């Protein structure tokens, strides 16, 4: 079985700080990490390989430094790694990003399952996974919390919903986006860390993946960001003090209109 | 689309107005002339407007200028589950009404389902002037393929200017596919929508980086302009039973209704009847509860308030409560009218998921807990005393 995992390197949210003077995001010194949801996709891919045999290819699009995210994925059990990096990709929205990743997947060749995290923690769109499956014209199941059964030609998965979950059967090849509940990612193994250091990362540019230039980067992106601003930071309010019964009565008085 | 942007060096005097105007930090001054970093430039034109010396020229590629005038009307994709229209649809009809009025176009609803004819009236009462209605057994419950095919066909035939959809599990899966198929721009998880009346553009404002920054996004040259919208941000459309809508019934050949995936079962799992994303009130418990049995106290308060039960990551990771209750970065984002955090310290990962709630109450014994920095009302104290006291008092005051 050939499993492809698409990951994104994102700024570590726990490091995100706001400059109190300029009210803007402080980007300096912010560590880059694998998007938290993608860690579950990597783990699930490695588990599928362990169950069914085969290999895992990890794919990312990003600046040259995204290579470190790929090496980390290899340390966690991925076999091959592909980095898509080209200035022509700059400014891609989710349309162009999914187009580019789909083009790279076509070049990688035959696959059985594509795994993605349900969304990235910087953009939070959840649009790239479904975009890839649409460009490749393959079935998808989003928000997968369990792969209950999988064979060479189909899978039975559980898809998280607002009320519970759906069980969905999908033929392979397919694309699945996964949520946290699907597994608990392992730590890198010593062997994995050794491999991560020496593994050769395949690096492709726009020309390598045979992409249409007008579908890449800003040209291929229907949306434009026209303004970025920092929301008014939320301020702490009132501390209620006193003995428990008084405090409870005071709070209920304050909230009773909302609660009614 | 992109094109070319040129700085006329004879006119530029290095005044830095454009540097300040650029939202992308793409311009700097070198040798007293403005220089644009093309890797950062998005051709937004902010610098062109800011320049007082006509030193910057933006040329858009002529070939991509499409005739967008054939696209009109504001569409709302109305999500139904088991034949029940989801409340997010009414919120979207409320917001869609404002946008349609600003544009001077019709507000339309799209309803896909099986044997949901009886729901049409609800949508017209909520202000839809036109309802695109497709009724077929394959559309009874959401499946990616037939829903995508039908929405693509409708959009291609009737050319809406705007399509709004809830940022729900279904909505985010569906319109992501539709946008790629019809080459449309799609903005996720919007919390603010408006119209640039001069350009007839949808201004879509959304949080990014977990709500630490906000971005306003447009789709200049593609139609429809598509957006998913967060729960509980927009106000529901008012009901007026006297309204009726024009209903456009469409049927499609069987191949359009084919699904490669098969829905084998729908399982309801959340013990409370209230859906976390749609709840007006959320009562959440965290590590401070000390063990799974103490969620009973949280459930009791939630029940009293008809609220949903949430949890911090710490409580979920300790297996005290299922993941479906987790609020925060790797869980759900909620914005209820009232969020009561019990024994939750307020790590950034949790705050991301609830900081846009209208009123936040924090109960924690640690006076330094970060949750107090954003709480509207804070109680420093023992939750094992405070929470039951609150429940009792709410029961008394609300007669529940």
């Amino acid at each position: 079985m050939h499993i492809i995992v698409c990951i994104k390197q994102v700024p570590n949210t726990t490091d995100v700080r706001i400059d109190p003077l300029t009210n803007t995001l402080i980007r300096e010194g912010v560590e880059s990490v694998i998007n938290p949801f993608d860690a579950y996709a990597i783990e699930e891919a490695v588990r599928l390989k362990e169950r069914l045999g085969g290999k895992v290819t990890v794919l990312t699009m990003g600046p040259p430094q995204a290579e470190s995210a790929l090496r980390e994925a290899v340390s966690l059990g991925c076999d091959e790694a592909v980095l898509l990096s080209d200035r022509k990709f700059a400014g891609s929205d989710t349309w162009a990003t999914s187009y580019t990743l789909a083009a790279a997947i076509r070049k990688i060749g035959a696959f059985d399952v594509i795994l993605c995290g349900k969304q990235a923690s910087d953009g939070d769109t959840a649009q790239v996974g479904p975009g890839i499956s649409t460009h490749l014209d393959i079935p998808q199941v989003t928000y997968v919390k369990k792969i209950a059964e999988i064979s060479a030609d189909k899978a039975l998965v559980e898809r998280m919903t607002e009320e519970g979950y759906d069980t969905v059967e999908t033929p392979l090849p397919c694309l699945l986006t996964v949520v946290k509940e699907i597994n608990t990612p392992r730590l890198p193994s010593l062997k994995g860390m050794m491999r991560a250091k020496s593994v050769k990362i395949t690096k492709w540019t726009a020309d390598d993946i045979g992409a249409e230039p007008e579908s890449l980067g800003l040209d291929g992106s229907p949306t434009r960001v026209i303004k970025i601003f920092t929301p008014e930071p939320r301020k702490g309010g009132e501390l209620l003090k006193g003995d428990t019964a008084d405090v409870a009565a005071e709070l209920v008085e304050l909230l009773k209109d909302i609660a009614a | 689309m992109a094109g070319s942007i040129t700085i006329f060096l004879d006119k530029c005097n290095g005044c830095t107005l454009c540097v300040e105007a650029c939202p992308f930090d793409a311009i700097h001054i070198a040798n007293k002339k403005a220089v644009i970093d093309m890797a950062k430039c998005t051709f937004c034109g902010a610098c062109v407007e800011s320049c007082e010396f006509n030193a910057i020229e933006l040329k858009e590629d002529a070939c991509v200028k499409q005739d967008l005038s054939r696209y009109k009307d504001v569409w709302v994709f109305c999500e139904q589950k088991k034949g029940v229209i989801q409340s997010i649809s009414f919120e979207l009809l409320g917001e869609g009404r404002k946008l349609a009025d600003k544009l001077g176009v019709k507000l339309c609803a799209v309803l896909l389902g099986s044997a949901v004819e009886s729901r049409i009236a609800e949508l017209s009462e909520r202000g839809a002037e036109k309802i695109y209605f497709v009724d077929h057994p394959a559309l009874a419950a959401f499946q990616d393929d037939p829903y995508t095919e039908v929405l693509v066909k409708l959009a291609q035939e009737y050319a809406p200017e705007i399509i709004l959809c809830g940022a729900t599990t279904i909505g985010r899966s569906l319109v992501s596919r539709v946008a790629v198929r019809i080459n449309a721009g799609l903005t996720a998880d919007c919390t603010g929508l408006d119209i640039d009346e001069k350009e007839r553009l949808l201004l879509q404002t959304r949080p990014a980086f977990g709500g630490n920054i906000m971005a306003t996004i447009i789709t200049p040259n593609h139609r429809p302009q598509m957006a998913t919208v967060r729960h509980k941000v927009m106000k529901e459309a008012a009901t007026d039973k006297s309204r009726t809508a024009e209903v456009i019934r469409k049927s499609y050949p069987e191949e359009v209704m084919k699904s490669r995936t098969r829905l084998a079962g729908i399982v309801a799992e959340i013990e409370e009847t209230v859906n976390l994303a749609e709840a007006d009130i959320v009562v959440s418990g965290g590590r401070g509860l000390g063990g799974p049995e103490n969620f009973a106290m949280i459930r009791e308060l939630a029940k009293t308030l008809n609220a949903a039960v949430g949890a911090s990551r710490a409580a979920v990771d300790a297996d005290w409560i299922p993941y479906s209750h987790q609020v925060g970065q790797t869980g759900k984002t909620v914005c209820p009218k009232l969020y009561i955090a019990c024994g939750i310290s307020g790590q950034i990962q949790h705050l991301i998921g609830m900081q846009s709630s209208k009123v936040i109450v924090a109960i924690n014994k640690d006076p330094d807990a970060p949750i107090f920095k954003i709480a509207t009302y804070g109680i420093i104290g023992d939750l094992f005393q405070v929470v039951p006291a609150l429940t009792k008092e709410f029961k008394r005051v609300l007669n529940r």
Side-chain angles (χ1 to χ4, degrees):
Chain A
M1 178 159 286
H2 184 200
I3 305 130
I4 296 176
V5 191
C6 301
I7 68 169
K8 182 179 188 184
Q9 192 178 51
V10 297
N12 190 349
T13 318
T14 42
D15 284 359
V16 168
R17 286 164 301 139
I18 304 293
D19 185 323
L21 293 176
T22 60
N23 227 4
T24 53
L25 212 62
I26 304 171
R27 289 170 191 261
E28 288 86 50
V30 176
E31 186 199 7
S32 290
V33 295
I34 293 178
N35 168 42
F37 282 104
D38 298 346
Y40 304 102
I42 292 170
E43 175 66 24
E44 200 59 22
V46 173
R47 288 186 187 193
L48 286 180
K49 176 184 76 168
E50 287 166 352
R51 252 160 85 185
L52 302 162
K55 70 168 180 183
V56 177
T57 303
V58 57
L59 170 66
T60 194
M61 176 178 115
Q65 49 281 26
E67 184 177 330
S68 64
L70 292 175
R71 291 197 185 274
E72 189 181 341
V74 170
S75 79
L76 295 165
C78 296
D79 300 287
E80 287 171 17
V82 180
L83 172 64
L84 300 175
S85 202
D86 195 318
R87 291 187 76 153
K88 289 177 189 153
F89 301 149
S92 293
D93 72 359
T94 58
W95 203 106
T97 302
S98 56
Y99 170 83
T100 309
L101 289 166
I105 289 167
R106 280 198 198 92
K107 184 174 165 87
I108 290 172
F111 61 87
D112 301 285
V113 179
I114 300 172
L115 289 170
C116 304
K118 79 155 184 174
Q119 65 192 49
S121 62
D122 53 353
D124 285 328
T125 71
Q127 287 172 190
V128 170
I132 295 170
S133 67
T134 309
H135 281 295
L136 293 172
D137 194 19
I138 57 170
Q140 74 177 18
V141 188
T142 49
Y143 302 88
V144 171
K145 72 181 190 82
K146 187 177 180 185
I147 300 179
E149 291 168 28
I150 185 161
S151 63
D153 58 354
K154 65 180 180 194
L156 186 70
V157 303
E158 293 177 2
R159 163 190 216 271
M160 198 170 156
T161 63
E162 280 83 359
E163 298 83 15
Y165 62 93
D166 298 343
T167 43
V168 181
E169 188 184 79
T170 176
L172 305 189
C174 70
L175 179 140
L176 308 175
T177 76
V178 304
V179 297
K180 176 189 156 186
E181 197 180 347
I182 196 163
N183 57 45
T184 307
R186 72 193 70 188
L187 294 170
S189 65
L190 190 62
K191 198 175 135 210
M193 287 194 281
M194 303 286 283
R195 252 204 96 230
K197 276 189 187 156
S198 60
V199 70
K200 188 180 175 304
I201 308 276
T202 304
K203 292 174 189 173
W204 287 340
T205 62
D207 290 343
D208 293 325
I209 58 173
E212 306 277 346
E214 65 272 17
S215 297
L216 292 175
L218 266 175
D219 284 352
S221 298
T223 62
R224 288 283 178 278
V225 177
I226 53 165
K227 189 171 137 196
I228 287 178
F229 57 101
T230 316
E232 194 61 31
R234 192 171 183 125
K235 290 192 178 68
E238 219 180 307
L239 276 181
L240 309 182
K241 288 179 182 149
D243 73 51
T244 304
D246 292 345
V247 167
E250 189 185 352
L251 187 62
V252 170
E253 184 61 28
L254 288 163
L255 300 178
K256 68 177 185 203
D257 290 338
I258 306 178
Chain B
M1 275 314 308
S4 61
I5 189 156
T6 315
I7 296 191
F8 300 117
L9 296 178
D10 53 328
K11 291 183 182 170
C12 178
N13 64 6
C15 74
T16 76
L17 280 173
C18 56
V19 177
E20 284 157 32
C22 177
F24 302 98
D25 194 24
I27 310 179
H28 66 277
I29 304 290
N31 295 325
K32 295 189 179 166
K33 303 285 175 196
V35 179
I36 300 176
D37 178 351
M38 296 314 292
K40 289 183 180 169
C41 176
T42 72
F43 303 97
C44 71
C47 55
V48 180
E49 281 173 31
S50 74
C51 181
E52 292 179 358
F53 308 96
N54 295 322
I56 311 177
E57 183 184 60
L58 177 67
K59 268 193 192 158
E60 303 213 347
D61 288 349
C63 59
V64 295
K65 269 281 178 198
Q66 301 176 27
D67 176 22
L68 303 175
S69 63
R70 76 180 189 96
Y71 294 90
K72 55 175 186 293
D73 293 347
V74 175
W75 284 17
V76 170
F77 174 80
C78 294
E79 189 173 324
Q80 58 82 18
K81 282 179 174 171
K82 297 184 174 162
V84 179
I85 309 279
Q86 302 294 295
S87 64
I88 181 84
S89 309
F90 302 138
E91 295 167 23
L92 296 179
L93 286 169
E95 186 65 17
R97 166 51 58 205
K98 291 185 214 159
L99 304 177
D101 288 349
K102 280 192 180 165
L103 288 164
V105 298
K106 287 198 166 104
L107 174 65
C108 310
V110 178
L111 179 60
L112 314 185
S114 176
V116 287
E117 178 95 33
S118 60
R119 301 294 175 178
I120 287 177
E122 270 177 66
L123 300 177
S124 52
E125 285 164 14
R126 298 280 187 162
E129 294 160 84
K130 217 187 250 188
I131 298 168
Y132 294 94
F133 178 54
V134 186
D135 199 297
H136 189 283
L139 303 173
F142 172 73
Q143 292 202 86
D144 292 278
D145 285 341
Y147 268 68
T148 302
E149 289 303 321
V150 168
L151 194 50
V152 164
K153 289 223 156 8
L154 286 171
Q156 284 171 336
E157 183 174 353
Y158 295 100
E161 194 165 354
I162 290 171
I163 301 180
L164 305 181
C165 179
T168 59
T169 307
I170 289 176
R172 289 170 130 203
S173 309
L174 169 65
V175 292
S176 301
R177 277 177 92 95
V178 172
V180 166
R181 285 280 302 279
I182 63 177
N183 201 10
L186 171 61
T187 303
D189 228 6
C190 296
T191 55
L193 295 173
D194 203 355
I195 298 289
D196 173 340
E197 286 171 59
K198 190 167 135 250
E199 303 286 338
R200 294 185 74 84
L201 285 172
L202 180 63
L203 303 170
Q204 308 159 109
T205 298
R206 69 179 304 266
F209 287 98
N212 286 306
I213 61 167
M214 303 294 289
T216 302
I217 295 170
I218 57 167
T219 300
N221 295 308
H222 294 69
R223 293 293 176 274
Q225 305 163 82
M226 298 177 66
T228 62
V229 179
R230 240 186 223 187
H231 277 103
K232 295 284 157 200
V233 182
M234 311 298 181
K235 218 171 148 224
E236 274 193 17
T239 306
D240 176 351
K241 299 225 181 257
S242 70
R243 286 192 283 230
T244 50
E246 178 192 352
V247 181
I248 295 166
R249 281 161 223 274
K250 295 293 290 183
S251 55
Y252 292 103
E254 284 305 307
E255 74 245 28
V256 173
M257 300 296 171
K258 271 198 189 137
S259 181
R260 288 170 288 191
T261 59
R262 185 178 68 85
L263 186 60
I266 299 176
V267 180
E269 200 182 30
I270 300 204
E271 44 213 284
E272 287 70 26
T273 49
V274 189
N275 168 335
L276 197 51
E278 291 190 356
D280 282 328
I281 304 177
V282 174
V283 184
S284 277
R287 199 196 301 270
L289 282 173
E293 64 284 0
N294 295 326
F295 261 98
M297 202 167 63
I298 302 296
R299 288 195 190 94
E300 178 70 17
L301 177 56
K303 209 175 125 201
T304 307
L305 296 172
N306 295 325
V309 172
S312 71
R313 191 178 96 172
V316 170
D317 285 355
D319 276 334
W320 296 350
I321 186 162
Y323 168 63
S324 47
H325 293 269
Q326 185 182 321
V327 172
Q329 185 179 44
T330 50
K332 287 176 179 158
T333 301
V334 298
C335 36
K337 289 180 188 153
L338 172 59
Y339 188 93
I340 305 181
C342 310
I344 293 176
S345 64
Q347 296 300 316
I348 180 80
Q349 292 92 335
H350 188 75
L351 302 186
I352 284 168
M354 45 65 78
Q355 63 190 355
S356 50
S357 306
K358 280 165 206 85
V359 173
I360 296 172
V361 172
I363 303 162
N364 204 299
K365 64 178 181 205
D366 174 8
D368 297 323
I371 191 87
F372 288 121
K373 292 209 178 81
I374 64 152
T376 323
Y377 305 114
I379 298 176
I380 299 168
D382 179 3
L383 68 95
F384 293 97
Q385 287 177 21
V386 176
V387 174
L390 273 180
T391 307
K392 195 174 148 203
E393 185 66 11
F394 271 121
K395 278 185 177 162
R396 191 182 70 78
V397 171
L398 302 172
N399 285 322
R400 286 183 186 160

